[in-house]
Amino acid sequence: MTRDPVRDDDRETVHGTCVALGTDAVLLRGDSGTGKSDLALRFLALPVSEAGQPALVADDQVCLTATDDGLVASPPATLAGLIEVRGLGIQTVSFAGSARLVVVCDLVAAQDVPRMPPDPWDRTVLAGSELPVLKLAPFEASAPLKLRLAIVAATAHLRGVNIRV
């Protein structure tokens, strides 16, 4: 089945930060000051892995477009390659122009992160597409690695493959 040209209900701009691992991405959601940009910055410092190069897609605002291949995240043109670094201000970094959004991480306090994710994972709808949602404490030292694992696990789930991460 071929999708009609993109309609307005297939597009949405959301508040959040989006980072990619190769061609697949995670959307970080949370109130202002919850650590979205800080976690993204630490994620960008991860080494390249078999799953790909960590990259910023967008900080503060993320454009989402539903396509035949899934939900595509991209930066608004005015914010492309910009990230807010608390204490240093707005900084320019390399970025991915777009990536397939495979998972959403809601940033919460450590005590609000369940020991195990629900089975099945919680879901949310963005730009008319349903995505899995996980909770993550952004300031834990392991948070950037957990993001990488979440992207890999969500991508494998989309492919219907069970893999070890």
Side-chain angles (χ1 to χ4, degrees):
M1 178 176 169
T2 303
R3 183 182 276 280
D4 292 333
V6 176
R7 303 180 318 255
D8 286 341
D9 58 342
D10 289 338
R11 295 181 188 208
E12 185 175 350
T13 299
V14 296
H15 174 75
T17 296
C18 184
V19 291
L21 186 63
T23 59
D24 295 319
V26 58
L27 174 67
L28 306 175
R29 299 191 302 189
D31 293 333
S32 182
T34 56
K36 297 179 298 293
S37 299
D38 184 83
L39 177 53
L41 192 63
R42 290 182 285 127
F43 179 82
L44 297 179
L46 291 176
V48 176
S49 69
E50 292 176 11
Q53 169 78 43
L56 176 71
V57 175
D59 186 38
D60 190 49
Q61 294 179 37
V62 183
C63 300
L64 303 174
T65 305
T67 70
D68 286 337
D69 296 326
L71 198 55
V72 175
S74 60
T78 56
L79 299 177
L82 301 177
I83 187 168
E84 181 182 350
V85 180
R86 205 167 286 266
L88 293 176
I90 306 299
Q91 300 293 309
T92 302
V93 297
S94 60
F95 69 99
S98 67
R100 180 178 65 152
L101 190 62
V102 297
V103 64
V104 174
C105 280
D106 287 335
L107 303 186
V108 298
Q111 67 267 18
D112 295 328
V113 176
R115 183 171 180 175
M116 301 296 273
D119 186 18
W121 287 2
D122 291 336
R123 312 286 288 179
T124 190
V125 176
L126 297 169
S129 296
E130 191 175 80
L131 292 163
V133 179
L134 297 174
K135 292 182 180 179
L136 190 65
F139 297 112
E140 291 180 341
S142 60
L145 295 171
K146 290 176 182 178
L147 274 184
R148 180 165 60 192
L149 292 172
I151 294 170
V152 170
T155 301
H157 180 73
L158 285 173
R159 292 183 183 140
V161 176
N162 285 328
I163 63 167
R164 290 185 188 183
V165 291

